[in-house]
Amino acid sequence: MSSFKEKTQSFIALPIAKALIALIGILIIGVLFDGGGSFFKLNTHTEMLGFVSRYAILAFGMTLVIITGGIDLSVGSVLGLSAVAFSLLTIHFGVPGYLALPICVALGLACGLVSGTLIGRFKLQPFIVTLAMMVFARGAAKVLSGGQKVSTAVQIDGEYVFVEEPAIFETLSGKVFGDTIFTATIIAALVAFLCWILLSRLRFGRYLYAIGGNEESARLSGIPVIKQS
């Protein structure tokens, strides 16, 4: 009896067991409060996955930061800045989507590089640095957009002309596999897989856990703490 109890406690302590318990709890709540049968419709879950995917992508990146014992308050604002830049590039300046995407990713990376440098090299507090980056990114987005909503109304020769929305928007917000799964959900799944590989199969992931456990011990163990921060 004690052996069974010990095995049960050991299983419950596993991360996958905690996730399964939470999933079962959600399923039970969904069955009890099914919203007139909506819970049992596939479209309900695919729509929900599409909605939360953008937050999931941010959460995976934030997970890496939290593992190191840090925090990043600027992720939402940097996302907004990148979105504004992407919309302006593709709609107002006619930049192809395959060029606008890497440009905006590089913009987000530049913001992260600045924050990381200030935290790692100059030993500033992550809370203060990322708070400042949050304010900067919001301000930069407002300056780029002129304080207005970015739309398909483009000013040409002093007059506003409505142009067609670039195809890249339909691709990123559309669905695949027979119009069932959102493209954003596929991207989120790929990001989740990459994070899993990074944390469980690569040395870099071990470094992140070591830094989060004790930064000074990690440094004395030969881990390049500043490069990983």
Side-chain angles (χ1 to χ4, degrees):
M1 186 67 180
S2 59
S3 177
F4 175 77
K5 183 178 180 180
E6 291 175 357
K7 290 181 179 179
T8 303
Q9 292 176 343
S10 299
F11 175 76
I12 294 176
L14 295 174
I16 189 173
K18 296 178 180 178
L20 286 174
I21 293 173
L23 178 60
I24 292 172
I26 293 173
L27 291 175
I28 292 174
I29 294 174
V31 171
L32 295 177
F33 307 96
D34 62 353
S38 296
F39 183 78
F40 300 100
K41 295 179 180 178
L42 177 62
N43 186 61
T44 299
H45 300 284
T46 56
E47 291 289 335
M48 180 190 66
L49 284 174
F51 178 77
V52 302
S53 292
R54 71 194 73 175
Y55 302 108
I57 294 171
L58 292 177
F60 294 135
M62 181 64 77
T63 298
L64 303 182
V65 176
I66 293 176
I67 285 175
T68 64
I71 191 67
D72 190 347
L73 304 177
S74 66
V75 288
S77 297
V78 172
L79 172 63
L81 174 60
S82 301
V84 168
F86 181 78
S87 299
L88 289 174
L89 287 172
T90 53
I91 297 175
H92 289 252
F93 297 101
V95 178
Y98 64 86
L99 290 179
L101 277 175
I103 290 174
C104 293
V105 169
L107 177 61
L109 287 173
C111 292
L113 180 61
V114 171
S115 297
T117 301
L118 292 174
I119 295 169
R121 292 287 182 181
F122 298 98
K123 303 300 181 183
L124 300 180
Q125 288 296 321
F127 185 92
I128 302 300
V129 172
T130 57
L131 179 63
M133 180 57 69
M134 179 185 73
V135 176
F136 168 79
R138 285 186 179 182
K142 187 173 183 179
V143 170
L144 288 177
S145 64
Q148 299 178 352
K149 178 182 178 180
V150 180
S151 67
T152 54
V154 179
Q155 189 173 14
I156 302 176
D157 296 330
E159 297 183 359
Y160 283 95
V161 178
F162 285 92
V163 298
E164 292 186 4
E165 190 176 85
I168 186 67
F169 285 88
E170 178 63 27
T171 301
L172 293 177
S173 62
K175 296 182 179 180
V176 294
F177 299 120
D179 202 32
T180 55
I181 305 297
F182 280 93
T183 304
T185 303
I186 303 298
I187 296 174
L190 291 175
V191 174
F193 178 73
L194 290 176
C195 286
W196 175 74
I197 293 293
L198 182 68
L199 293 174
S200 63
R201 294 292 184 268
L202 299 181
R203 181 172 55 184
F204 178 79
R206 300 295 95 189
Y207 285 174
L208 296 184
Y209 281 110
I211 294 171
N214 189 307
E215 183 176 330
E216 184 61 19
S217 295
R219 185 185 67 81
L220 295 175
S221 300
I223 296 176
V225 172
I226 294 179
K227 290 183 178 180
Q228 311 303 318
S229 298

